[in-house]
Amino acid sequence: MTIVEEHRTEIRVQDTVYRIEVAAREGGGAAGEDRWVTVMVGGAGPQEEPVAEGRLDIDAEAVPALATVLSDTLLAFAGRGNGRNGRRRSADRPAHQGSPWSDELDAELESRWLAGESVEEIARRFERTPGGIRARLPRVGCDPERRGAYLPIPPSRREVGELG
């Protein structure tokens, strides 16, 4: 068998260090041509005591399905599953949080801000977070610190006659 790809990750969560090593390899099937993935997991607590240890050998075609099943199962076991394929999403998260902005939405955001609406009102209207609205305002030229105002023109972009 030949290793064709390898990934290693080490992460610290509080006082515990977790290691995950993934290696894709050719061979292992009856014809010696199948591609397999080996996942090795380890973890050690603050006194170097083992908290995780294991190895999985998976047919490469089964990796996406098994990743979803493992994620869902572990999150459910930890009490964090929510019935959405293991993806965490709080019930109060706005519907359009993280969605791309269109030119039309940008124009409406600018218009509402210049009309004097608050960040919170606009966030409710767009079904996004107030932080997302504040972050988007400068992209449409609006000053998130001054309701109803555009950002000032930076000196480097002013006409010669505008400089004071």
Side-chain angles (χ1 to χ4, degrees):
M1 284 186 261
T2 305
I3 293 177
V4 293
E5 189 174 351
E6 205 170 20
H7 298 278
R8 297 169 196 242
T9 301
E10 185 171 294
I11 186 168
R12 177 179 294 278
V13 178
Q14 296 173 344
D15 292 335
T16 303
V17 176
Y18 297 95
R19 288 175 314 285
I20 299 176
E21 297 179 29
V22 180
R25 62 194 195 310
E26 298 289 341
E33 299 171 356
D34 300 76
R35 185 164 172 165
W36 285 78
V37 174
T38 298
V39 179
M40 291 178 284
V41 177
Q47 307 302 318
E48 298 297 320
E49 70 277 13
V51 297
E53 183 178 27
R55 174 185 168 139
L56 289 171
D57 291 305
I58 311 161
D59 183 309
E61 291 182 18
V63 168
L66 188 57
T68 299
V69 169
L70 280 171
S71 176
D72 288 354
T73 304
L74 289 171
L75 287 171
F77 184 79
R80 293 173 58 186
N82 57 16
R84 291 189 181 197
N85 297 328
R87 291 178 189 90
R88 289 182 282 158
R89 181 183 177 116
S90 64
D92 59 348
R93 179 178 167 191
H96 296 290
Q97 179 180 343
S99 298
W101 286 80
S102 66
D103 291 340
E104 293 79 20
L105 289 173
D106 279 344
E108 185 179 348
L109 172 62
E110 178 183 3
S111 173
R112 288 178 177 275
W113 185 251
L114 295 175
E117 287 188 32
S118 71
V119 167
E120 290 73 20
E121 291 169 325
I122 296 171
R124 278 192 299 276
R125 159 61 186 95
F126 285 99
E127 297 183 65
R128 295 178 185 262
T129 64
I133 297 301
R134 276 190 216 87
R136 191 68 186 181
L137 284 167
R139 293 178 182 239
V140 298
C142 295
D143 186 342
E145 301 300 321
R146 298 181 312 146
R147 189 186 304 186
Y150 281 114
L151 286 168
I153 300 171
S156 62
R157 300 195 62 198
R158 293 182 187 153
E159 297 292 327
V160 175
E162 293 181 38
L163 296 175

